[in-house]
Structures are given as structure tokens and as C-alpha cells.
Amino acid sequence: MFSDSPNNPSASPPECWTAREAELLAVTLRLLQTHGYDRLTVEAVASEAKASKATMYRRWPSKADLVLAAFIHGTKESAVAPRTGSLRGDLLAIGASVCQSLREHTSTMRAVLNEMSHSSALSAAMQDNFVHHRNVLMNEVLCEAVERGEIDAGVINPEIWDTLPGYLVFRSMVADRPPTEETVSMLVDEVLLPSLQRTRS
Amino acid sequence: MFSDSPNNPSASPPECWTAREAELLAVTLRLLQTHGYDRLTVEAVASEAKASKATMYRRWPSKADLVLAAFIHGTKESAVAPRTGSLRGDLLAIGASVCQSLREHTSTMRAVLNEMSHSSALSAAMQDNFVHHRNVLMNEVLCEAVERGEIDAGVINPEIWDTLPGYLVFRSMVADRPPTEETVSMLVDEVLLPSLQRTRS
């Protein structure tokens, strides 16, 4: 499991790394994008970044830990609530940020995804350190919209609140039809807002 | 490319195989689920099914062609319009059918997906022989709803009409939270129908 992952990940913000650690993660992402997961080694990252293997393994006990940390670090901008002042603005900003991450990290995500099917520890770490924070973010955005009187609290449904990132990831990973700005605005205006703004019976 | 794929795939129905060919594809799927894509060989399928390698290669010029054909054959029930008589019924039926396919074929889909990132020919064949037919199906369902007066023709938007299968695939492949019957009914009743039944301004 993640070396700095506390027992209760729900209380923790996305982790903060030192500048040197962030540099090691950036090198990891770069090597991942060039060589893919299978051919990446912790040794290659250490060598490229002029770090000792001991330093690497002290922070990230395995290649899977290192790659997941690099992925989460590389997508951390998208973990911050956009706070544009309106639900529509927030959803468009989240969609744009997901698209940006997907453009940069699709190959890493494919690798992590493929690896997740072999490793339940990686799968759990992804759940605690990535998916969970994205859900907290979406909940914040929706609750703020309730406070502003834009939507009813009753329409918030955790079962399906990741429809926006979910569909964009599908488009990028599976359908081979990368989502555009237009995809995001159509999804927000024609699907999500009519759903969230409906009056419950 | 697909051996029986005509130049204009938009005019072709999902392919029909002879009973013997269907048997070879079923053996392929079974071996795929046991051994995964990387360790599958056309020779192993031929041997298991007591077929000659020449027979195999005459029909499916490469392993990728064979695996894609097996995947499409294995999911062909979901390529038929449900015709329940209502838009809600049709969407629920499509959702249930996608969930069923995902339960049976997630590992194959992961393999095909992973392979698609290395092969543009496989990617194109998937597009022509799978994605395209699913879009034709969704278009049929939506057009029939327009004819019945359930929705306005103006709400049909090809850019986002695969939100239903897309989100279910995401849930199954990425989020490690396989979709249930409840996921489908919430998605249909709380997201898709409010979107499709809205009045355009």
C-alpha cells in the first residue's frame, strides 16, 4: 500500500511531496509515457533522476506504489474544487480539467488500469487516493450548488455522481474518440443540468 | 482487417458465422478468459477445437482479428434493438444487456482495449464492427421514441448518445465498482430521461 497513506484516507488531502520527491515523480511519469508500465523499472527512474535506489524504495515500496503516486501527483490540479460561483461553471471546469488530464495521461491510465486488474492493493490505493478525492470534490460542488439554491439536495445521488468524469474517461480510453470542449459543454448542458435541475416528484 | 468486413461497414449487419465458426469463436473466448490475450495463440485455439491452423488463418488473418471476432460474437445479443414499446423500457433493456456483457467479458474487453492502443487496425475494426452497430441501435431506439411522441427529434445528439453504455463500461473497467441493476435504473430515470424529455428552448 501507499507509504504515506493513513489508515483513514477519507480525512487526508492529496499528499504533498517535497520538491525533490515531486521531481522523482515527474521523471517517473516521463519514463512511463515513453516506455510504458511493463518496461519501467524503479532503477531506471533512480538512474535518470540521479537518486539512490534506497531513496526510491524508502518512499515507494514497489513499482506499483511509485506509478500510482506519479499518476496522482500528475493529475493533482484536477483535485481542487473550481469555485467558479455557479454549478454550470464548476461542472464545465471539472470537465475541462478531466479532459486535460486525459490528454496528458491516457497511456499512464491505461497502464495503471491494466495493472489494477492484477493487483488488489493497487486497486485499493487508487480507490483511496484518487477516486475517493474526486468524489469528495464532486460532493463539494453539488453541496455548494444546493446552498446557492441552484438545485435540490434530493437530486444528489452518490451512485451516479461520477457520470461526468466517467463518460469522459470512457470516451478517451475505450471509444477512441477523445472528448473535446464541445463534448463537455453538451454533456453539462444537455445531460447533467437537466438531470440535476429537475424537480423531484 | 476483418476478413469479412465489406468496404462499407455501415450497410452491414453484425456478421453471421456458421455453427462451426461460432464454435471456434466460443473456444477463443473461453481460452481468452482463462489465459488472457498475451498468452493466447491461434494454434492453441485450433488445437483445443480440433481445427487446422489453415482453417483458422483463412477466416481470421491474425490473433487480433480472431479475438475481436470472438468478442463481437460473444456480445451479439446486445446488438439487437429491444423493442419493449417505451423509451424507458428500451433504455433499461440496453443497460441490462450492457451490464450482462460486461460481467461476462470484462477481462476480454480489457485485453482488446489494451491491444487497441498498440494497433490502429484493431482499433478501426472495433469502431466499424462494434461501436458503429451500437450507435445504429441507439439511434433506432431514439427514433422510435420520437415516432411514438415520447421525445423531440431535436434532443437526439450523436456526440453524447453513448452516455448510457459509456458510463456502465467506465464503472466496470475503471472505477472497480461494477454497475448493478440499480445503477442502470438510476441512470435512466435520474439522468437520461430528464435529459431526453426536456423541452428545447
Side-chain angles (χ1 to χ4, degrees):
Chain A
M1 276 291 287
F2 233 53
S3 50
D4 68 337
S5 170
N7 289 329
N8 176 14
S10 64
S12 67
E15 62 287 320
C16 291
W17 301 106
T18 65
R20 178 57 174 155
E21 287 165 338
E23 195 187 333
L24 296 173
L25 294 176
V27 169
T28 303
L29 267 188
R30 205 172 64 235
L31 293 185
L32 258 177
Q33 277 155 7
T34 316
H35 302 297
Y37 186 91
D38 288 345
R39 276 174 296 161
L40 181 84
T41 62
V42 176
E43 287 73 13
V45 176
S47 157
E48 176 82 9
K50 304 198 191 341
S52 77
K53 280 196 280 180
T55 302
M56 300 294 299
Y57 281 110
R58 198 160 52 234
R59 284 170 179 77
W60 304 287
S62 74
K63 179 166 97 168
D65 288 305
L66 175 64
V67 166
L68 182 67
F71 173 70
I72 290 168
H73 184 70
T75 57
K76 73 175 175 349
E77 292 80 12
S78 67
V80 180
R83 300 240 154 75
T84 63
S86 76
L87 177 58
R88 179 170 189 271
D90 283 0
L91 293 174
L92 289 174
I94 290 174
S97 159
V98 170
C99 287
Q100 172 73 14
S101 289
L102 289 169
R103 266 192 297 277
E104 285 170 20
H105 302 294
T106 294
S107 62
T108 307
M109 263 202 81
R110 276 190 212 266
V112 169
L113 179 63
N114 204 37
E115 206 52 28
M116 274 169 62
S117 61
H118 308 308
S119 158
S120 59
L122 186 65
S123 198
M126 179 75 159
Q127 192 64 35
D128 290 348
N129 292 284
F130 186 80
V131 177
H132 177 77
H133 288 296
R134 290 306 184 281
N135 287 348
V136 168
L137 170 69
M138 187 57 82
N139 193 38
E140 259 178 60
V141 163
L142 295 175
C143 287
E144 287 170 12
V146 171
E147 281 164 27
R148 284 190 302 261
E150 291 190 76
I151 58 173
D152 288 348
V155 302
I156 300 181
N157 183 349
E159 173 70 17
I160 49 173
W161 67 16
D162 56 350
T163 308
L164 170 62
Y167 179 67
L168 298 175
V169 168
F170 164 81
R171 281 283 296 265
S172 166
M173 307 268 299
V174 179
D176 214 23
R177 190 164 51 115
T180 63
E181 207 174 305
E182 204 179 23
T183 316
V184 173
S185 67
M186 286 174 169
L187 191 63
V188 168
D189 288 329
E190 301 184 20
V191 180
L192 300 175
L193 288 178
S195 162
L196 292 166
Q197 293 172 338
R198 75 193 187 282
T199 312
R200 290 218 136 186
S201 55
Chain B
M1 278 292 288
F2 234 51
S3 50
D4 68 336
S5 169
N7 290 330
N8 176 14
S10 65
S12 67
E15 63 288 319
C16 291
W17 301 105
T18 65
R20 177 58 174 155
E21 287 165 337
E23 196 187 334
L24 297 173
L25 295 177
V27 168
T28 303
L29 266 188
R30 205 172 64 235
L31 292 185
L32 258 179
Q33 278 154 8
T34 316
H35 303 297
Y37 186 90
D38 288 344
R39 276 174 297 162
L40 182 84
T41 62
V42 176
E43 287 71 14
V45 176
S47 157
E48 176 82 8
K50 303 196 191 343
S52 77
K53 282 194 279 179
T55 302
M56 299 295 299
Y57 281 110
R58 198 161 51 233
R59 283 171 180 77
W60 304 287
S62 74
K63 179 166 99 167
D65 288 305
L66 175 63
V67 166
L68 183 67
F71 173 70
I72 290 168
H73 185 70
T75 57
K76 74 175 173 352
E77 292 79 12
S78 67
V80 180
R83 299 240 154 74
T84 63
S86 76
L87 177 59
R88 180 171 188 273
D90 283 359
L91 292 174
L92 290 174
I94 290 174
S97 159
V98 169
C99 288
Q100 172 73 15
S101 288
L102 288 170
R103 267 191 297 277
E104 285 170 21
H105 302 293
T106 293
S107 61
T108 307
M109 263 202 79
R110 277 189 210 267
V112 169
L113 179 62
N114 204 36
E115 206 52 28
M116 274 169 62
S117 61
H118 309 307
S119 159
S120 59
L122 185 65
S123 198
M126 179 75 158
Q127 192 63 35
D128 290 348
N129 293 284
F130 186 81
V131 177
H132 177 77
H133 288 297
R134 290 306 184 280
N135 288 347
V136 168
L137 169 69
M138 186 58 81
N139 193 38
E140 257 177 62
V141 163
L142 295 175
C143 287
E144 286 170 13
V146 171
E147 281 164 28
R148 283 190 302 261
E150 290 189 76
I151 58 173
D152 289 348
V155 302
I156 300 180
N157 182 349
E159 173 70 18
I160 50 172
W161 68 15
D162 56 349
T163 307
L164 170 62
Y167 180 68
L168 298 175
V169 168
F170 163 81
R171 281 284 295 265
S172 167
M173 307 267 300
V174 180
D176 214 22
R177 191 164 50 117
T180 63
E181 207 175 304
E182 205 179 21
T183 316
V184 173
S185 67
M186 286 174 169
L187 191 62
V188 168
D189 288 329
E190 302 184 19
V191 180
L192 300 174
L193 288 178
S195 163
L196 291 166
Q197 292 171 339
R198 76 192 187 282
T199 312
R200 291 219 137 185
S201 55

